[in-house]
Amino acid sequence: MNRNKSPLIVLFTLAVSIFFVNSCRNVKDAKTANEQELAAGAKMFQSTDPRVQKLKLPAGFQAEHLYSPSENKQGSWVAMTFDDKGRMIVSDQYGFLYRLQVPPVGSAAAKPTVERLNIGPDAPGNDPAKPKIGMGYAQGLLYAFNSLYVMVNHRGNEEFSKTSGLYRLEDANGDDQYEKVTLIKELKGEGEHGPHSIRLSPDKKSLYVVAGNFTDPPQMNAYRLPKVWGEDNLIPLITDPRGHANDRRAPAGWIAKIDPTGTNWEMIGGGLRNTYDIDFNDEGELFAYDSDMEWDFGMPWYKPTRILHVTSGSEFGWRTGNSSWSPTFADNLPPAVNIGQGSPTNFMYGQSARFPDKYRRAFFAFDWSFGIIYAIHLKPEGSSYTADAEEFISGAPLPLTDGVIGPDGAMYFLTGGRRLESDLYRVTYGNNTLSNGKLATVKVSDEVKKARKIRKDLEQYHNTPSKEGGVAFAWPYLKHEDRFIRYAARIAVEHQPVSQWQDRVLQEKDPIALTQAAIALARHGNQSVKNQLLTALTTIKYDQLSDTQKSDLLRAFELVIVRMGMPDAAVKSQIGSYLDAHYPAQSNDLNRGLSKILVHIGAPRAVEKTMALMATAQDDQASKEMYTASPGLILRNPQYGLDIANMLAKAPPAQQMFYATVLGGAKTGWTPALYEKYFTWIRNAFNYKGGLSYIGFINKSRQMALATVPPEKLAEYKTLSGEGLLSSNGNDLANNAPNPKGPGRPWTMEAALPLVESGLSNRNFENGKAMFAATRCISCHNMRGEGGNVGPDLTQLGTRFSSKDMLESIIHPSKVISDQYAATIYTLKDGSSVLGRQISEENDKYMVSQNPFAPDQLREILKKDVVSSKVSNVSIMMPGMINRLNEEELKDLMAYLMSGGNKGHKMYIAQNTSK
């Protein structure tokens, strides 16, 4: 759902829907209440519905399919809530609001009753002849304060729709409809990065709203994140080469707290990319599930989807293009856990569910792209948390859009979005009789209690004008060992008048406090103090700092230069000498910070040293692990998984790319030998596979560096740097393989078979071969020695199968599956699952291939970790691969397949004779 996934029609890939069977457990001779609970639930919810059978759930849980809005021409539902009478209210992404009376748990045969809501004083009722009503297009719904709050995400160009903004709907006359419509706040922004969800605060007195990075923050009454945000990165700016979010600037996505009438708005945090949803845990702490930018996959500034602890005044560092902040920057906060690639949608806490306590204390994070609901288990750490992610529910296809814990304690969730088929499900545990009362307090250490209290005490100063004593209270905590406390202390200081603390910064002797205070002063101080401030930073004994403290110090240098400008020559030289003595460092993170600053200020040996690092740098293990986890997603979604497969086949060296980007902006320090090394690296970098914007980013670095070369060498360096490899727009490699001319269509057997059986004589061999490549058959299949080896060799296809057989295998690939090419689903003890093609089996492990473009890259699965395995009953070849072809292109492709790639076949004789 979320964002701009690149459309890709794929042929015969190891990437397709998987049907996970939710086997209802037959518990015999149950001896405990829990076993009896599970047995009763299993018996109650036995289902043969394939929409349920495809779901993989934890033991003891079962699912019901309740309703299909698509089958009833009610759109694709993306938002839901329950009202005070226990009725569900939902919204079509591109249409109306509906209200459902959901049948009780256990009434398997009953179906919801559904009505379209009447909205506004002139609502025409349910008269089908008058379908236009005054509300819809919601991506957030919440019933609270005897009102329905609706977050409309739309530009309002349909007659029945409203423009983007937060609305309050009320029943003014007691007729159980919503006559009164109040626009609380119009919001500038729409689409998949527009305004999203609404949550009720833990004290049930306020609302929290969240918006994506295409939504301008409205004027607010207060800002816990001080309103001095900026881009704040010394890396030479390259906006997305394909134009995505190029005009978006800080604070990017944001979260605000409002009162029920929407009179007072307070910004809680920002720097989000595209968070669809937020929620609170049972301790009243706010969390969010933020998105990634998949076009940046494999690049040094890529950040995966992640779970964030949203504290007061928090900043999470999304910035446009390559300037997105590192999670290590001191002026933003780290994730509780990285999830990986995906498209976050719903995010909710399980406290009110009739589930085991383990899951009542979990957040549930919905991924639209790969059809996974993760259970997020928090672990207290200092004043914040870390977390583990567990695969809770999965299925394919399962485009998850929204979810809610109902008043009955069951979990309800929707699938759909982008006009896909939409379904409503309900998930229960056992026979749904576990208590969902107040959770018992979890015991935490005294150290955690103390750290939380300090952070919350500091957050009392996160408003302007702040109460007195803020500087004196916060200052000692600038050097606290807890990162969230240091952050909260700095934000508290920033909320005080600068005149109260500027001199204290410049006189500070403690290196940690000075570093954090310098970050604050860079954001608020006058440029006149920059030389004094930078000089003070050079007095810090660098070698006595930890790596984290060194990273924070480098960030302080960077922010002072970004915000206040280049220092005087003497101070610039002093900074260069101070930092050059420690460059290169032992860590990639420190070398990123050092290279940016030293190259930017033109330090004498900066280009030479950075070039040497670029030639040999290896990515950190954490980065490698992030990408090695990705093959598990390839087979869950044939469209988006293929992008991952492409990259993992030859992933770019992210650390080297970072240095290349920094060097692209270098104005001095070049020699002919260094230019030659740099442009040779650039040319070779075009051989790697990254996200959709990878080639464009490399090309932009190349162009920046070319702008500095001597005019007489420009042509030579253009050639050396691979200019001839690029397409005209510079965002792709030149590719002579033709694309289908189309227009395509959703081909069926009824349409395709008569066309093919009408005759395949005098076909175009070269075009058929081109369509074999354009539809990506060649990626996985071999024809006369050319192509992949994931699927069977097709050279002899025409001698064994009719055109009808071929078309049926192409259009309905799951009808007959060869066990030689089937995928296997392994369910592991930790609740996760692995899908792949088993290549070999040893005494203690299975070796599985998950990437069709790198079939030799195998994943090892220890047998001791496997609970069960089964062959998938869905083909590893995806349907729809011919849907880009027009009639003539389909006939040429079928002729190529029938001929076995033989240009001398009789189907081409007439054509060849005519030549």
Side-chain angles (χ1 to χ4, degrees), residues 539-756:
T539 65
I540 293 175
K541 295 181 179 179
Y542 188 91
D543 290 331
Q544 295 181 9
L545 304 177
S546 68
D547 277 0
T548 296
Q549 292 164 352
K550 291 173 183 176
S551 180
D552 290 354
L553 175 59
L554 294 174
R555 182 59 175 161
F557 274 112
E558 179 178 19
L559 281 170
V560 175
I561 295 171
V562 167
R563 291 281 185 135
M564 297 183 169
M566 192 70 79
D568 294 347
V571 176
K572 183 168 68 172
S573 177
Q574 184 179 355
I575 296 169
S577 298
Y578 176 80
L579 296 180
D580 184 71
H582 307 289
Y583 185 53
Q586 295 300 309
S587 80
N588 281 344
D589 181 63
L590 292 179
N591 281 331
R592 289 187 184 192
L594 287 163
S595 64
K596 276 196 300 184
I597 299 169
L598 289 168
V599 170
H600 182 79
I601 67 174
R605 298 184 60 203
V607 171
E608 177 188 351
K609 285 187 173 185
T610 306
M611 189 72 70
L613 282 172
M614 187 178 73
T616 59
Q618 299 293 315
D619 290 339
D620 290 331
Q621 187 61 33
S623 298
K624 293 178 181 178
E625 288 173 356
M626 179 172 65
Y627 294 128
T628 56
S630 301
L633 300 177
I634 294 172
L635 305 182
R636 294 180 185 270
N637 186 308
Q639 179 177 333
Y640 305 149
L642 191 67
D643 292 340
I644 297 175
N646 265 312
M647 198 214 79
L648 293 179
K650 198 167 185 182
Q655 186 71 12
Q656 292 181 27
M657 184 178 176
F658 185 90
Y659 296 137
T661 306
V662 170
L663 288 168
K667 301 297 190 293
T668 62
W670 291 102
T671 66
L674 292 175
Y675 272 132
E676 185 169 336
K677 290 180 180 179
Y678 180 80
F679 289 124
T680 298
W681 185 94
I682 290 288
R683 181 192 63 215
N684 293 333
F686 289 132
N687 294 321
Y688 295 108
K689 303 289 185 182
L692 191 63
S693 293
Y694 170 73
I695 296 296
F697 275 116
I698 292 293
N699 184 43
K700 293 294 185 182
S701 296
R702 182 186 77 94
Q703 290 174 336
M704 286 192 299
L706 285 171
T708 69
V709 304
E712 66 274 11
K713 301 287 285 184
L714 181 59
E716 176 186 344
Y717 289 145
K718 279 185 175 182
T719 301
L720 179 61
S721 62
E723 183 156 304
L725 301 174
L726 298 170
S727 63
S728 58
N729 64 16
N731 292 331
D732 304 283
L733 296 179
N735 185 355
N736 294 324
N739 285 315
K741 293 180 181 179
R745 58 188 291 185
W747 285 104
T748 63
M749 285 294 294
E750 292 75 16
L753 186 59
L755 179 72
V756 173

Side-chain angles (χ1 to χ4, degrees), residues 523-540:
R523 288 161 46 84
H524 293 266
N526 190 285
Q527 292 185 4
S528 63
V529 301
K530 67 180 174 185
N531 291 322
Q532 188 177 357
L533 183 55
L534 289 167
T535 300
L537 291 175
T538 62
T539 65
I540 293 175

Side-chain angles (χ1 to χ4, degrees), residues 376-419:
I376 307 299
H377 304 288
L378 299 176
K379 299 181 293 184
E381 183 173 284
S383 70
S384 183
Y385 303 80
T386 58
D388 293 323
E390 170 198 356
E391 183 182 306
F392 179 67
I393 296 175
S394 61
L398 196 69
L400 298 153
T401 58
D402 202 8
V404 67
I405 305 299
D408 54 5
M411 175 190 286
Y412 294 81
F413 69 84
L414 291 168
T415 63
R418 292 187 178 175
R419 296 190 168 90

Side-chain angles (χ1 to χ4, degrees), residues 72 85 119 164 192 196 201 209 239 264 268 429 512 534 545 560 589 619-620 686 825 906 912:
N72 294 279
K85 297 179 181 179
I119 308 295
S164 288
E192 295 184 355
H196 296 309
S201 65
V209 297
T239 56
N264 294 300
I268 300 299
Y429 179 81
I512 313 307
L534 289 167
L545 304 177
V560 175
D589 181 63
D619 290 339
D620 290 331
F686 289 132
I825 306 164
K906 63 181 180 180
N912 293 341

Side-chain angles (χ1 to χ4, degrees), residues 846-895:
Y846 303 104
M847 303 303 293
V848 175
S849 174
Q850 295 184 293
N851 189 343
F853 295 128
D856 296 332
Q857 295 178 4
L858 303 182
R859 177 170 178 174
E860 181 181 289
I861 305 175
L862 297 179
K863 289 185 176 180
K864 67 181 181 64
D865 295 333
V866 177
V867 175
S868 63
S869 65
K870 58 170 291 184
V871 175
S872 173
N873 60 354
V874 177
S875 173
I876 59 178
M877 180 185 118
M878 70 171 290
M881 74 266 188
I882 58 175
N883 288 351
R884 294 167 64 202
L885 307 185
N886 62 31
E887 293 184 1
E888 296 304 313
E889 289 166 336
L890 176 59
K891 292 168 83 171
D892 285 340
L893 172 63
M894 290 300 296

